[in-house]
Amino acid sequence: MTDQEFDSQFLKKTARERELTTEILWDIVELDRRQLYLKYAYPSLFAYLTRRAGYSDGAAQRRIDAARLLNKIPEVANAIGEGRIHLSQVAKIQQVCRQAKKETGVQIDVAKKKNILKKLENKNSRETELILAQE
């Protein structure tokens, strides 16, 4: 296989991986909606994803955060699928919003989250941290 062929195959696989990630996130939305984890005697979605599905703690929490945001803002799926937004960025938005609610008692609304998501498109982790700190 030539370098060019290898590169082409690799890029196709990464695109498929992003598509599969969005499918899994939608599945997690449905798992959460049905509270299916309770049927299998897990006390939480987090426990189900870590113990039954085998995700690490961090990977499970990122997916839960992303799935819950996806449930409120479905267009996140396209942004993740197209590589404009990364799972870690979505999880970080949710983490920052939880912290803001804890500190101020004010819930960050969907419109504000959409605005933040737009600003984070195609940004690296350092740029993401800066934007979230400013917001």
Side-chain angles (χ1 to χ4, degrees), residues 65-110:
D65 286 341
R68 289 183 175 158
L69 187 61
L70 181 70
N71 193 35
K72 292 180 183 190
I73 308 172
E75 52 269 33
V76 169
N78 288 337
I80 291 171
E82 295 168 2
R84 292 181 280 125
I85 290 286
H86 301 283
L87 200 56
S88 61
Q89 291 173 297
V90 175
K92 192 68 173 170
I93 290 169
Q94 293 290 75
Q95 179 185 4
V96 167
C97 290
R98 274 194 305 274
Q99 186 64 33
K101 183 179 179 185
K102 185 177 180 182
E103 291 174 3
T104 66
V106 177
Q107 177 99 14
I108 307 299
D109 65 17
V110 171

Side-chain angles (χ1 to χ4, degrees), residues 11-125:
L11 294 178
K12 287 177 186 176
K13 288 176 184 176
T14 60
R16 283 198 329 254
E17 179 181 32
R18 286 190 302 273
E19 290 171 17
L20 185 56
T21 296
T22 59
E23 288 178 34
I24 289 171
L25 292 177
W26 281 118
D27 288 346
I28 293 171
V29 167
E30 188 63 14
L31 283 165
D32 200 17
R33 185 189 70 75
R34 293 182 187 195
Q35 294 185 327
L36 190 60
Y37 49 88
L38 295 174
K39 180 179 180 178
Y40 293 98
Y42 292 99
S44 66
L45 180 58
F46 179 82
Y48 177 91
L49 291 178
T50 54
R51 295 184 207 150
R52 186 164 176 86
Y55 284 109
S56 69
D57 290 359
Q61 190 60 55
R62 281 189 299 276
R63 281 158 182 75
I64 291 168
D65 286 341
R68 289 183 175 158
L69 187 61
L70 181 70
N71 193 35
K72 292 180 183 190
I73 308 172
E75 52 269 33
V76 169
N78 288 337
I80 291 171
E82 295 168 2
R84 292 181 280 125
I85 290 286
H86 301 283
L87 200 56
S88 61
Q89 291 173 297
V90 175
K92 192 68 173 170
I93 290 169
Q94 293 290 75
Q95 179 185 4
V96 167
C97 290
R98 274 194 305 274
Q99 186 64 33
K101 183 179 179 185
K102 185 177 180 182
E103 291 174 3
T104 66
V106 177
Q107 177 99 14
I108 307 299
D109 65 17
V110 171
K112 178 70 172 173
K113 288 180 181 181
K114 282 183 179 183
N115 185 30
I116 293 169
L117 279 164
K118 193 69 178 156
K119 290 179 181 182
L120 295 182
E121 285 187 7
N122 302 307
K123 301 294 190 248
N124 64 32
S125 59

